Amino acid sequence: MKFHTFPLAAICSLSLCSCFTSRTPFSPGGSTTVGMPEKLSERERGFVPEIDTALRREGLVPVRSGKGELQLDFTMSEGPVNTTTRIGLSEGEETILAAEGRAAGIPLIGRDGVARKSFDAAFSDFDAKLTTEAPRRGWSRSGETASPTSPAAAYQHDIEPVY
């Protein structure tokens, strides 16, 4: 019995290569993935769905545990008077987008409103930059390039937050 090693070697090399690709089951249709922060405070978890929606609108696909081609940086630092929100998007060591918002209020009173003002200021700037940067980088906006029957289109219609 003659054993052919070429097909076996080809199959092994293809399966090994697939282990090193950046695509995941969360990135159907070749969309650019964005790794979402692993640890969020309770306050941050309340605001991150708005960021998720903006990313998806521009054709990016948020993924769990910070394992994307791009990385979302999102923090809300709360003090007794000020709240500072920072939202950024980076690729490796390069910062693609960065936005910051700050709001102040009476110490320990109305903290939800102060957090909302801080987030709104940062998010407004981030969203405007994201809308400008998306076409320059070739990210496809939702519904513009995906066919109705593609896995990407089906995934985007069944949006489930990843946080």
Side-chain angles (χ1 to χ4, degrees):
M1 177 183 265
K2 190 173 185 180
F3 183 69
H4 296 282
T5 58
F6 176 74
L8 182 59
I11 290 170
C12 289
S13 65
L14 287 174
S15 64
L16 182 60
C17 290
S18 68
C19 294
F20 296 105
T21 61
S22 60
R23 296 285 167 214
T24 69
F26 298 104
S27 60
S31 300
T32 302
T33 58
V34 177
M36 301 299 275
E38 287 187 61
K39 297 181 182 183
L40 295 171
S41 69
E42 196 65 35
R43 174 94 63 204
E44 291 164 343
R45 267 194 294 278
F47 289 108
V48 80
E50 294 176 52
I51 299 170
D52 181 279
T53 300
L55 293 170
R56 290 175 191 274
R57 183 192 67 233
E58 296 303 333
L60 299 169
V61 179
V63 295
R64 291 186 189 277
S65 304
K67 304 291 187 217
E69 295 161 276
L70 304 177
Q71 178 65 42
L72 178 73
D73 304 307
F74 173 49
T75 59
M76 295 184 83
S77 303
E78 294 186 80
V81 175
N82 297 312
T83 297
T84 303
T85 301
R86 290 182 179 88
I87 308 171
L89 194 60
S90 59
E91 182 174 24
E93 297 297 316
E94 177 190 2
T95 299
I96 298 171
L97 306 170
E100 182 175 297
R102 187 175 182 133
I106 300 170
L108 306 175
I109 297 175
R111 301 316 300 163
D112 291 341
V114 173
R116 170 49 72 182
K117 286 179 189 174
S118 173
F119 176 80
D120 286 347
F123 182 70
S124 176
D125 188 27
F126 177 80
D127 194 37
K129 290 176 180 177
L130 183 63
T131 301
T132 301
E133 190 68 20
R136 285 184 358 97
R137 298 233 173 218
W139 301 329
S140 60
R141 293 181 68 107
S142 298
E144 285 185 4
T145 60
S147 73
T149 59
S150 77
Y155 180 81
Q156 297 209 358
H157 292 301
D158 299 331
I159 292 176
E160 290 186 31
V162 296
Y163 29 85

